[in-house]
Amino acid sequence: MKTNRFANEEDTIDLLQLGAALWKNIRTLILCFILGCTVAAAGTEFLITPQYEAVSTIYIFNKTTSITSLADIQMGNQLTVDFQIIAKTRDVVERVIEEQNLDTTYENLVDTITISNPSDSHMLTITVRNPDALLAASISNNLADILREQVAEVMNTDKPSMVERAIIPTKPVSPSLTKNTLMGGMILLMLAAGVVTVLFLMDDTIKDEEDVEKYLGLVTLAAIPYDKSVDSKGQEHKKHSRKRNK
């Protein structure tokens, strides 16, 4: 006999029963987690191109500049913002493309460039991300040099000072093998747990006396235990009867 588990709106999900259903399928859940980790690790290793970042740093003032007043500090803060804007202008970026002989467009290259200002400083860091570690360092240094020249020309002053040139990175910044592996395992684990939960909620069969009382409002007077051996003997008896009839 079957009844609808959701017939009574006041019914709530039995978390203990749900937990038992999940625990019953714990081996399947663990296998799904391992499978997800394996697939994600393989995909990260063989399908995703590693990305490297190279960073160069310039000082917005030149060697002859001296900061002696609050006005100088405020001017430096404003110049920092101006430099960040100039660094990504089409003239500067396209000149980098030309000098580096890059097979790319302004839009594509500018997306790989990050210009940032470390807090409480008059420094600018020029970060370039590229699958080629050597090219990432070369573009970062080239961009820093061109930016210094462009600023000197626009502001009619000496070039800003170079603080640090980019070096060739030895380790990729992305993708993260550990992060992707765990994420892949967790995603497949949650999907499997979701399937188990849905099957549990859709299962509206009466399993024991408590279900009879809970969903039908009836009291169980007696219960006949199910004996597999009796059932198997009955199946064998039916087979023998068929053979005799033949």
Side-chain angles (χ1 to χ4, degrees):
M1 180 182 296
K2 294 185 178 181
T3 184
N4 190 344
R5 186 182 290 262
F6 303 105
N8 187 349
E9 293 182 357
E10 295 182 357
D11 287 348
T12 57
I13 298 175
D14 191 326
L15 296 180
L16 290 178
Q17 290 184 358
L18 177 57
L22 292 172
W23 180 255
K24 182 179 178 181
N25 293 274
I26 188 65
R27 291 185 179 180
T28 302
L29 296 178
I30 293 175
L31 287 175
C32 287
F33 177 76
I34 295 174
L35 178 61
C37 288
T38 302
V39 173
T44 301
E45 190 70 25
F46 300 107
L47 299 180
I48 302 179
T49 303
Q51 297 290 324
Y52 296 86
E53 282 188 355
V55 183
S56 58
T57 307
I58 65 174
Y59 187 54
I60 64 170
F61 293 116
N62 55 51
K63 295 179 180 179
T64 61
T65 304
S66 60
I67 302 177
T68 58
S69 65
L70 179 60
D72 293 334
I73 296 176
Q74 292 175 339
M75 181 187 71
N77 294 334
Q78 183 58 51
L79 287 177
T80 302
V81 178
D82 294 342
F83 283 22
Q84 288 177 292
I85 297 174
I86 294 174
K88 287 192 173 185
T89 58
R90 185 173 293 273
D91 288 343
V92 172
V93 176
E94 287 187 345
R95 185 174 164 188
V96 173
I97 294 174
E98 180 181 353
E99 293 186 5
Q100 292 290 318
N101 194 26
L102 302 176
D103 183 19
T104 187
T105 63
Y106 164 78
E107 289 77 13
N108 290 336
L109 182 58
V110 81
D111 285 341
T112 67
I113 299 171
T114 302
I115 310 296
S116 58
N117 168 229
S119 59
D120 300 325
S121 75
H122 294 135
M123 307 281 187
L124 275 186
T125 59
I126 302 171
T127 305
V128 176
R129 177 175 292 205
N130 196 279
D132 187 328
L134 177 60
L135 187 58
S138 180
I139 293 175
S140 181
N141 288 325
N142 192 194
L143 180 58
D145 291 335
I146 294 175
L147 175 60
R148 293 166 62 213
E149 293 178 9
Q150 188 76 359
V151 167
E153 181 179 342
V154 171
M155 300 186 63
N156 192 24
T157 185
D158 295 334
K159 292 182 183 180
S161 301
M162 191 75 175
V163 176
E164 184 178 35
R165 302 191 69 81
I167 60 174
I168 301 173
T170 57
K171 295 182 179 180
V173 293
S174 70
S176 172
L177 180 60
T178 302
K179 179 181 177 181
N180 288 358
T181 298
L182 291 178
M183 284 183 61
M186 290 303 298
I187 289 173
L188 196 56
L189 174 62
M190 288 188 291
L191 288 175
V195 171
V196 172
T197 301
V198 170
L199 292 176
F200 168 78
L201 295 177
M202 293 178 63
D203 184 6
D204 57 2
T205 57
I206 300 297
K207 298 181 177 62
D208 52 31
E209 296 88 342
E210 291 183 0
D211 285 350
V212 172
E213 184 176 354
K214 180 177 181 181
Y215 299 118
L216 300 180
L218 301 176
V219 178
T220 304
L221 299 178
I224 301 175
Y226 173 67
D227 190 343
K228 291 184 179 180
S229 61
V230 173
D231 185 64
S232 61
K233 290 179 180 178
Q235 295 294 335
E236 291 178 0
H237 178 71
K238 289 182 180 180
K239 291 181 181 179
H240 290 310
S241 298
R242 290 172 185 169
K243 288 182 180 180
R244 293 196 204 98
N245 294 333
K246 290 181 180 179

